[in-house]
Amino acid sequence: MPFRLLVPLGLLCALLPLHHGAPGPGGTAPDPAHYRERVKAMFYHAYDSYLENAFPYDELRPLTCDGHDTWGSFSLTLIDALDTLLILGNVSEFQRVVEVLQDNVDFDIDVNASVFETNIRDPNFMEVIFYQTLHFVVGGLLSAHLLSKKAGVEVEAGWPCSGPLLRMAEEAARKLLPAFQTPTGMPYGTVNLLHGVNPGETPVTCTAGIGTFIVEFATLSSLTGDPVFEDVARVALMRLWESRSDIGLVGNHIDVLTGKWVAQDSGIGAGVDSYFEYLVKGAILLQDKKLMAMFLEYNKAIRNYTRFDDWYLWVQMYKGTVSMPVFQSLEAYWPGLQSLIGDIDNAMRTFLNYYTVWKQFGGLPEFYNIPQGYTVEKREGYPLRPELIESAMYLYRATGDPTLLELGRDAVESIEKISKVECGFATIKDLRDHKLDNRMESFFLAETVKYLYLLFDPTNFIHNNGSTFDAVITPYGECILGAGGYIFNTEAHPIDPAALHCCQRLKEEQWEVEDLMREFYSLKRNRSRFQKKTMSSGPWQPPAGPGTTSSENQDETREKRPTKQKIPLLSCPSQPFTSKLALLGQVFLDSS
Ligand code: DMJ
């Protein structure tokens, strides 16, 4: 029976544990090189077993050393593992898998696939089983498409604006579009790949299943030139925003035909999580202030109503009263998301709370009752989820705090000790007795292992700060890729934000970039002139008038263009100067 309890606020605060159990100052920082090799070995133990025992099924069953399809039969684990191969440096296997997927994955099949998450839930909505398919297929194929050149794949002319993996991602995404044809514009949760939405399909979809498309769909629209994907994703986001309660919160499940909230528990976890994630990542990816403003408004309401001593509880979306003092493992992405908007202190405090739970069980139980300080009945499992490791990777990139490496070490040690079996790594059915389940979800190779590796590999290309980049000639002109600032989709598939400017270089953007170049070079010139001046005695003089080579003159020559609004760069405060600029596909090295 799911856990519901209305606890008087005062009592609640008294019950809450306060940061105890954080790693002691004496904890020796783990050796990144050693753990990098351990994580790489974990990946190949699971990956090789999947290829040997389960491919072309979606997932490996590690206890019976065979495979099964999880609602889609797209060799999901292979698609999900593809960009992890490149992050681990295995370009030859990346190239081989790209060929295999082109020959094996077919979306024209009579299958009901989940658009985002299909829930088999009981009336209390808490019994959910996730089957993530088409949405994550699109993300995995898009990321692999954009990484193809770096992986030495012979890309076709017109790349990154065309390519076999891009066409596959587009085909899969087009299969999702019928789901968005509802009166509200919010999508159904399931679609048949041949026939569209089945008659009688439930109109109830979870909030995350409506609000987790902008990253992939905006990227698709930018690369293919067809705005339909970004448009449907934006409409769905706007409808959710308009459906929020007067106290600024959203519920968990909504009827996409009537727009009425069916499940009104509000929190940052199951059924809602990636909606907030994509408001922030969409804002950074698209330089979209409105998306960031929506998130910041939600963030205020979440703080006011659901945060108690850096834990986050579930509350009733209209009343704000606590309905469930539970920490869900899925919620551990939140500190990482906070770091993306520069809210490091709050992020670290919540991270340390969650780390105490990891230390208590050697993993994060699906549900943890905060006042009781223990697991919730029937929710004691840990399906090797990535969220706390994901937050550690982001926070370590922002702070360099060794405590975050210690979480990485503890994760490697306990996953290897508890869930490693002959044919891979198995979901932990119960963290109290370490019973295992015959399942290895595809996100283990797509996310858990990837974030662990990136935590221990600070010089990985994914962490690039704009100091290196690749200049690519596209049909739309030159564009800069691989400079950094990658945006991870909710399944940890990295999207290069500069790629969104490669295929539709709008005139304004061209001007935008040239303005920045001019600003940058005049800054650089003045600084070097000043330095020379101070070196060679006497006060500094302003630059000489007409006839000099400076860029100012270029202005006179360019036809007068309408005054355009200067778009403040929405880069995260902790981003270095260069990667700010990288977001626009231009890179200006500033060694200052
Ligand atoms: C993954 O499918 C995705 O990370 C999703 O956003 C949340 N659930 C799992 C991982 O826990």
Side-chain angles (χ1 to χ4, degrees), residues 117 132 136 273-274 277 330 385-387 443 447 490-491:
E117 285 163 350
Q132 300 95 358
F136 297 134
D273 46 8
S274 46
E277 180 187 359
L330 282 165
R385 291 192 188 283
E387 282 78 6
F443 57 66
E447 301 188 65
T490 194
E491 275 257 318

Side-chain angles (χ1 to χ4, degrees), residues 528-547:
S528 55
R529 216 182 263 126
F530 180 72
Q531 282 150 354
K532 263 203 242 70
K533 201 66 173 157
T534 42
M535 248 86 69
S536 55
S537 63
W540 178 69
Q541 299 305 321

